[in-house]
Amino acid sequence: MSSQMADGKTIILRLEIDTNLAQFGRAATAIEKAKGDIIAIDVIHTDKNKSIRDLTVKIAEQGAAERLTNALQSLPGIRLLHISDRTFLLHLGGKITIQPKTPIQNRDDLSRVYTPEVARVCQAIFDEPSKAYTLTIKRNTVAVVTDGSAVLGLGNIGPYAAMPVMEGKAMLFKQFADVDAFPICLDTQDTDQIIAAVKHLAPAFGGINLEDISAPRCFEIEQRLRQELDIPVFHDDQHGTAVVLYAGLLNALKLTGRSLNEARIVICGIGAAGTACTKMLLAGGAKHIVGVDREGILTADRTYDNPMWQWYAEHTNPQRLTGGLAEALQHAEVFIGVSAGGILTRAHIELMAPEPIVFAMANPEPEIRPELAEDIVAVFATGRSDYPNQINNVLCFPGIFRGALDSRATTINEEMKVAAAEAIASVISDDELNRMYIVPSVFNARVVEEVRRRVIQAAVKSGVSRRNPRE
Ligand SMILES: NC(=O)c1ccc[n+]([C@@H]2O[C@H](COP(=O)([O-])OP(=O)(O)OC[C@H]3O[C@@H](n4cnc5c(N)ncnc54)[C@H](O)[C@@H]3O)[C@@H](O)[C@H]2O)c1
Ligand SMILES: O=C(O)C[C@H](O)C(=O)O
Ligand SMILES: [Mg+2]
């Protein structure tokens, strides 16, 4: 039996009942006893000896799914073939598809979308390559490229297991910004091979969104691709996260009467996201940032093999603090977690200054769940959709690419990132700002609209646009 269960949800159980030994009623009774509520029954197959049925069952409490499984497995003549929940059902066959824009109904259509007529279009692009933007999908396409090495906080789970996240990103691109994004999961973690692969596939795309590639390789991969390609290359976990974090932090500081210059900030997890968040905060004027990774506080008193950590140690921690997370957190006012789930405790937060700001942004499991400490925290945010204050790069990447594609920008530069952060923060007015509402919802249509508008302005002003679209 394969099992992918979740409590407090609707689950689908596939049962095989040996009709010589058992009756369906026994299974139904067992399910009810285990506090499952059967809401639908579908017969999948029946013959003389067995019947296979899918039961849709509502389970309310923690552990109910496991109790139910155990109860069914102990019944003679009944086999539990499979359990899935709505999340898994939603993933059956993948989450996206490609649709032609026009139907091909007759030979005339066929000869125009395809050979022979298509050849004239190919020739036109050959004569003038920039026509790829007007005569192909390039103007609206983004490749979401990963090597599966830092997928959410799950770590190095490889290209196949990374696909559901990349398909999800493609859905978000389409739904929120009408960008056609394709998940591309590369079966290599070699820096040169990744760079070569992305360069080879670039002709079909108007932009490259690098996703979930671990530090420090992600820095070189992005930097070299930015130099070598004339389309925007954007590592979402670095810059998308930094943009949204910056927007959220500005609002949280405003709410708690603090300034970025003076705030004592601890960043935990000095990988792709942590490094980029730090750079953006330093550029915005932050002076008291302390970075912590697995080996403890990064300090200029030590030397590091990882060049990014070396840079980090030299540009942060002015007091040269040493020790671990607890030492870093003494009297700190802001905790920013982009590390791993569950590593922060309530006792840690108690070490911080009064009214602290805690952004526990690891996915899917935050550094600490809000329910464990929200009573001692002034502003709490996570990366998840099921808590208030979702600081997640989804607030950034659809709109920033929409703006970059529409202005046909050659790159996404610092000016465009700052514009995106200011756009996100600006969607919340001073009247609306409160501890449960420091960043707008991803469903607020003004987010993409405003990010796009300001990003286009910044691209034009900074001289990287190749087109100035009408508003
Ligand atoms: N909310 C968002 O929008 C968002 C965006 C990007 C990343 N993230 C999350 O941030 C985390 C890191 O992502 P990344 O792309 O930077 O990955 P990464 O692999 O580049 O970096 C992770 C860093 O965290 C460190 N780390 C792991 N466990 C730690 C611990 N116990 N204590 C201190 N440091 C620890 C690692 O050593 C590494 O340096 C993931 O959980 C990811 O889901 C969230
Ligand atoms: O994928 C997300 O939800 C955000 C971010 O890109 C992450 O890697 O956690
Ligand atoms: Mg990511």
Side-chain angles (χ1 to χ4, degrees):
M1 185 198 70
S2 60
S3 157
Q4 298 112 12
M5 294 182 286
D7 284 319
K9 303 257 159 67
T10 304
I11 57 173
I12 316 254
L13 309 166
R14 178 159 290 186
L15 296 186
E16 185 186 82
I17 301 168
D18 181 336
T19 41
N20 301 313
L21 290 174
Q23 285 183 338
F24 173 68
R26 294 185 63 180
T29 311
I31 291 169
E32 271 162 37
K33 272 197 179 153
K35 300 232 170 84
D37 185 11
I38 302 176
I39 53 175
I41 303 171
D42 293 292
V43 178
I44 305 301
H45 170 90
T46 53
D47 62 31
K48 282 210 305 300
N49 300 317
K50 65 172 190 246
S51 87
I52 298 180
R53 299 177 191 210
D54 277 353
L55 311 188
T56 307
V57 178
K58 262 195 168 161
I59 47 169
E61 347 153 345
Q62 283 282 325
E66 208 176 329
R67 272 205 309 280
L68 217 145
T69 315
N70 294 341
L72 288 170
Q73 275 166 343
S74 66
L75 293 179
I78 292 181
R79 268 200 330 136
L80 182 53
L81 298 181
H82 189 80
I83 302 184
S84 53
D85 62 25
R86 289 202 309 173
T87 303
F88 276 83
L89 292 179
L90 207 122
H91 283 79
L92 281 182
K95 293 183 293 214
I96 54 172
T97 187
I98 291 182
Q99 291 281 345
K101 279 176 160 175
T102 52
I104 306 166
Q105 281 166 326
N106 50 44
R107 292 214 154 258
D108 187 41
D109 292 342
L110 183 61
S111 68
R112 278 188 289 123
V113 302
Y114 195 47
T115 190
E117 286 286 292
V118 71
R120 289 195 299 117
V121 183
C122 300
Q123 192 62 49
I125 298 171
F126 179 72
D127 294 340
E128 197 185 320
S130 69
K131 286 205 166 131
Y133 278 100
T134 45
L135 296 171
T136 75
I137 57 173
K138 185 175 176 77
R139 69 202 286 172
N140 201 46
T141 50
V142 166
V144 178
V145 181
T146 191
D147 63 354
S149 60
V151 181
L152 312 178
L154 303 173
N156 189 356
I157 60 174
Y160 291 96
M163 272 294 279
V165 174
M166 305 311 134
E167 287 183 22
K169 297 269 174 191
M171 287 176 91
L172 300 168
F173 264 117
K174 186 67 185 174
Q175 162 140 357
F176 294 127
D178 200 22
V179 170
D180 294 309
F182 295 80
I184 294 175
C185 297
L186 300 174
D187 194 7
T188 175
Q189 295 187 348
D190 176 87
T191 297
D192 291 326
Q193 285 193 24
I194 293 172
I195 292 168
V198 174
K199 281 174 68 180
H200 291 316
L201 57 83
F205 295 96
I208 307 289
N209 182 85
L210 301 174
E211 188 66 49
D212 292 354
I213 299 178
S214 63
R217 289 169 315 123
C218 62
F219 303 121
E220 183 184 349
I221 292 169
E222 188 198 39
Q223 194 195 350
R224 280 175 51 193
L225 284 172
R226 280 170 64 99
Q227 278 161 6
E228 294 177 33
L229 291 175
D230 68 349
I231 54 174
V233 178
F234 181 83
H235 183 202
D236 181 38
D237 297 280
Q238 290 184 60
H239 315 299
T241 315
V243 163
V244 183
L245 175 271
Y246 191 65
L249 188 59
L250 289 183
N251 277 344
L253 291 169
K254 194 196 279 183
L255 197 63
T256 53
R258 296 178 167 114
S259 74
L260 186 56
N261 295 15
E262 286 168 16
R264 279 162 293 159
I265 302 170
V266 171
I267 304 200
C268 183
I270 310 305
T275 306
C277 290
T278 304
K279 286 187 173 169
M280 197 142 182
L281 296 181
L282 288 173
K287 303 239 166 354
H288 305 281
I289 298 182
V290 174
V292 185
D293 208 279
R294 292 178 207 268
E295 293 173 27
I297 295 176
L298 298 190
T299 163
D301 288 336
R302 272 187 61 184
T303 50
Y304 298 93
D305 291 341
N306 176 344
M308 192 48 81
W309 281 7
Q310 188 62 38
W311 177 92
Y312 198 101
E314 287 163 11
H315 289 82
T316 58
N317 191 4
Q319 293 176 295
R320 303 211 173 179
L321 298 180
T322 53
L325 185 56
E327 286 73 19
L329 285 171
Q330 295 277 352
H331 311 299
E333 295 164 292
V334 180
F335 169 86
I336 295 166
V338 270
S339 54
I343 59 128
L344 190 74
T345 63
R346 187 178 167 95
H348 280 130
I349 297 178
E350 282 166 349
L351 298 170
M352 297 177 71
E355 303 281 294
I357 295 168
V358 173
F359 288 180
M361 293 161 60
N363 285 314
E365 191 56 39
E367 281 78 3
I368 183 169
R369 290 262 181 164
E371 55 268 30
L372 297 178
E374 60 196 338
D375 56 318
I376 52 167
V377 168
V379 184
F380 214 121
T382 71
R384 295 164 58 115
S385 333
D386 51 358
Y387 288 112
N389 294 333
Q390 182 181 20
I391 307 247
N392 189 294
N393 47 27
V394 64
L395 279 169
C396 172
F397 66 77
I400 211 166
F401 269 100
R402 184 71 275 157
L405 289 173
D406 289 351
S407 59
R408 219 165 280 168
T410 51
T411 186
I412 294 175
N413 58 23
E414 295 307 308
E415 291 87 334
M416 291 157 81
K417 288 191 286 178
V418 172
E422 287 171 356
I424 294 166
S426 77
V427 170
I428 299 190
S429 67
D430 285 355
D431 291 348
E432 292 171 317
L433 187 62
N434 70 65
R435 69 186 289 258
M436 293 295 180
Y437 190 48
I438 57 158
V439 279
S441 154
V442 54
F443 292 105
N444 184 332
R446 283 191 48 223
V447 175
V448 167
E449 212 180 279
E450 200 50 27
V451 171
R452 170 189 181 272
R453 192 178 70 77
R454 296 204 195 194
V455 164
I456 290 172
Q457 271 176 2
V460 172
K461 201 164 160 210
S462 60
V464 297
S465 69
R466 287 176 280 194
R467 179 170 171 268
N468 191 353
R470 268 183 255 128
E471 292 276 313

